[in-house]
Amino acid sequence: MAAFEFPQDFIFGTATASYQVEGAAGEDGRGMSIWDRFSHTPGKTLDGHTGDVACDHYHRVDQDIALMKDLGVAAYRFSIAWPRIIPDGDGPVNPKGLDWYSRLVDKLLAAGIEPFATMYHWDLPQALEDRHGGWRSRKTPEAFARYAATVVERLGDRVKHWMPLNEMPATIVAGYDAGFHAPGAHESRKVLNQIQHHCLLAHGHAVRAVREHGGSGAQVGTAHNARVFVPVMETGEHIAATRRAFEHDNGPMLEPMARGTYPARWLAAMGDDAPEVAPGDMQLIASPCDFIGLNVYRGLFVEATDAESTTRGMTVTGGVENVAVPLQMTPSTAAEPDADDGYSVLPFPESYPRGHADWVLFVPQAIYWGVRLLHECYGYAKLYITENGTVGKDDVVAGRVVDLDRVEYYRLYLRSAQRAVAEGLPLAGYFAWSLMDNFEWSHGYHDRFGIHYVDFETLERTPKLSARFYAACIRERRVV
Ligand code: BGP
């Protein structure tokens, strides 16, 4: 048997998100999103970059599907822009917006590529932010419920995989606490916890919308950036400590979705800042999912400590001020761990290998451990890696991008995915982030994550070496 093999039914895909690639910001009745406002506000993105044009995926979608065919991917994860569907968030539906995604889905299916649709990848209609305070208000999950039902009703005959909210922690913490994402707010702990609750409610509404309107075979699960912890060495005590770190850090979001409760300890730590919960909320939030998607770029190393040990103080939980790892890495909404939790998160040495951005630390084991811990701690019976990739400098030399750093990243992370499969963990597929270089949020077009290079002057796409590498892995169904 060949080394690092994947089973025949393992899904290899690639991913993008609406605001990062589509462009066509003012076309076909699209409303304004909080990312339009934010990126057009001076000082919010590097060099004032915006997603007005982005990769022009909106007009070049045929070409992009051809790139996917060349890769041989079986699935494409894209996101639907809420402001294209319901331009002011909760008013009239814009048929032209729905039509565009309907055509996209048809084209994908004609190319033999399975559509995986994300309902929300951070581009909230600006009108909801202006009128209700966005995710601060319960009106937003209510509006989201209607939006989710609208897209599932229209596309659910053909789209069988749905992901409600991409990376809720990014919305909550990067958007409303640290402020380096739209809407760029800095809210109190109390407000943040309420925002978290509203995002979870939206998730629950979306799960119900898929059940109600999704037709037969519809599957739903969130694309979550659980904070992944990795034992510094794979011995019993460090693995146990890693599990404690994982549950402590991720519990405030994963426990409600998986079990319908907030962790008792988290509620106690939050005291008066705990979210207000209406009757029926927790049941809605815990509407059973078919899978969970994990967006994973790096992990954090954990070691077991005894209560006396003082390697702590380098914890990465809590507010942004406490972050001892590079910013631009979404902090969690957990409370500080206690000394007697018996684990410590190790600081990264300055010389630790990483991508061309501080936060993309090369921790390939994060895939294996992320999958294993989600499965073991929260009972998820099916998982996808919904995003994985790295940022490179990506120089074009004689028409080629020889991104050996990205190739090596993918080789190691894919081996880690294969380990999960080989050990019998229920990992069903993997999506490379991203199909092409795109608008990397506050870093604009500076941070390139694509396996295709995009010249942002001409919008020409060029496969990087990593695209050829990924295509070869897919073709041979093993890490080559
Ligand atoms: C994705 C974004 C990517 C990248 C990533 C970061 O969902 O669309 O462009 O920014 O998240 O992940 P994290 O928030 O875990 O740092």
Side-chain angles (χ1 to χ4, degrees):
M1 189 170 128
F4 300 113
E5 257 187 343
F6 286 92
Q8 281 307 323
D9 59 354
F10 188 86
I11 291 179
F12 287 104
T14 184
T16 65
S18 49
Y19 192 72
Q20 296 185 272
V21 298
E22 284 178 2
E27 267 176 69
D28 289 341
R30 175 184 179 276
M32 184 188 258
S33 79
I34 55 173
W35 268 98
D36 296 286
R37 173 68 58 81
F38 186 78
S39 66
H40 280 270
T41 305
K44 296 298 186 191
T45 65
L46 220 53
D47 290 336
H49 289 173
T50 75
D52 288 359
V53 178
C55 307
D56 196 32
H57 183 58
Y58 197 79
H59 299 118
R60 293 168 197 248
V61 64
D62 294 319
Q63 184 188 342
D64 293 335
I65 291 174
L67 298 179
M68 293 179 218
K69 279 198 85 162
D70 286 347
L71 285 172
V73 290
Y76 175 44
R77 174 176 176 239
F78 60 95
S79 82
I80 300 171
W82 186 351
R84 287 198 195 279
I85 308 301
I86 304 179
D88 74 351
D90 53 8
V93 172
N94 171 33
K96 285 189 174 171
L98 278 172
D99 289 347
W100 190 84
Y101 292 104
S102 183
R103 285 197 300 275
L104 167 66
V105 167
D106 285 342
K107 286 169 192 222
L108 288 169
L109 291 172
I113 297 167
E114 187 71 27
F116 275 58
T118 308
M119 296 178 186
Y120 180 77
H121 203 120
W122 310 346
D123 39 4
L124 183 75
Q126 179 66 39
L128 292 178
E129 184 69 22
D130 293 342
R131 277 188 283 126
H132 307 310
W135 290 106
R136 298 172 193 86
S137 162
R138 213 181 153 92
K139 293 212 168 98
T140 293
E142 283 161 9
F144 184 80
R146 176 170 164 257
Y147 157 68
T150 305
V151 294
V152 178
E153 266 175 42
R154 176 66 193 276
L155 305 173
D157 55 337
R158 290 155 290 155
V159 175
K160 292 299 168 195
H161 291 86
W162 295 95
M163 289 145 290
L165 277 71
N166 177 71
E167 298 194 359
M168 285 183 265
T171 293
I172 303 158
V173 189
Y176 288 92
D177 178 6
F180 60 84
H181 279 187
H186 304 281
E187 297 294 350
S188 66
R189 174 61 93 168
K190 169 108 192 134
V191 173
L192 291 172
N193 288 340
Q194 202 59 45
I195 289 172
Q196 169 173 293
H197 189 67
H198 294 155
C199 288
L200 289 167
L201 285 176
H203 163 81
H205 281 302
V207 175
R208 286 206 182 155
V210 173
R211 295 283 173 251
E212 225 168 286
H213 309 287
S216 70
Q219 303 233 322
V220 57
T222 190
H224 191 56
N225 56 337
R227 192 85 73 89
V228 177
F229 296 90
V230 173
V232 68
M233 48 198 98
E234 294 188 4
T235 60
E237 52 167 355
H238 296 298
I239 292 173
T242 300
R243 195 183 161 115
R244 289 196 294 278
F246 186 79
E247 289 182 325
H248 177 80
D249 210 82
N250 294 295
M253 303 213 69
L254 288 176
E255 197 178 305
M257 286 190 285
R259 295 182 207 130
T261 45
Y262 283 111
R265 202 177 132 190
W266 181 75
L267 286 176
M270 291 301 134
D272 291 344
D273 291 338
E276 278 165 33
V277 177
D281 282 3
M282 299 312 290
Q283 224 184 332
L284 174 65
I285 291 169
S287 305
C289 283
D290 303 291
F291 65 87
I292 188 167
L294 175 66
N295 291 359
V296 58
Y297 292 84
R298 77 254 130 173
L300 297 167
F301 288 104
V302 167
E303 74 175 359
T305 55
D306 52 32
E308 277 76 40
S309 167
T310 49
T311 34
R312 34 192 37 260
M314 61 239 343
T315 165
V316 292
T317 56
V320 170
E321 304 74 37
N322 301 328
V323 175
V325 290
L327 248 184
Q328 191 66 21
M329 164 164 185
T330 310
S332 82
T333 56
E336 288 292 325
D338 299 330
D340 58 11
D341 282 331
Y343 70 83
S344 117
V345 179
L346 297 174
F348 284 95
E350 240 179 86
S351 54
Y352 191 88
R354 64 191 77 201
H356 198 56
D358 261 358
W359 63 273
V360 187
L361 299 147
F362 285 20
V363 185
Q365 298 306 334
I367 289 196
Y368 169 77
W369 282 101
V371 168
R372 177 164 160 183
L373 292 166
L374 281 165
H375 174 67
E376 286 180 359
C377 301
Y378 295 98
Y380 284 100
K382 186 174 186 181
L383 293 104
Y384 292 95
I385 298 301
T386 33
E387 284 179 27
N388 178 238
T390 183
V391 52
K393 186 155 176 294
D394 295 341
D395 296 311
V396 188
V397 180
R400 288 191 75 193
V401 180
V402 183
D403 56 339
L404 288 168
D405 45 351
R406 187 174 287 101
V407 169
E408 209 49 31
Y409 179 98
Y410 277 123
R411 192 191 327 270
L412 296 172
Y413 278 71
L414 280 167
R415 284 182 178 178
S416 175
Q418 196 277 342
R419 175 183 174 196
V421 176
E423 288 189 18
L425 292 165
L427 179 63
Y430 171 97
F431 291 78
W433 182 272
S434 176
L435 173 65
M436 58 193 156
D437 298 333
N438 58 46
F439 176 77
E440 177 55 24
W441 311 111
S442 49
H443 285 241
Y445 299 99
H446 292 285
D447 283 3
R448 294 178 175 275
F449 275 89
I451 55 178
H452 292 90
Y453 184 90
V454 177
D455 177 329
F456 289 103
E457 297 291 317
T458 63
L459 295 175
E460 194 191 332
R461 285 91 159 117
T462 307
K464 300 178 191 176
L465 182 60
S466 54
R468 284 177 43 213
F469 171 80
Y470 191 42
C473 292
I474 296 171
R475 202 172 50 240
E476 303 213 1
R477 305 206 72 76
R478 64 183 178 90
V479 187
V480 295

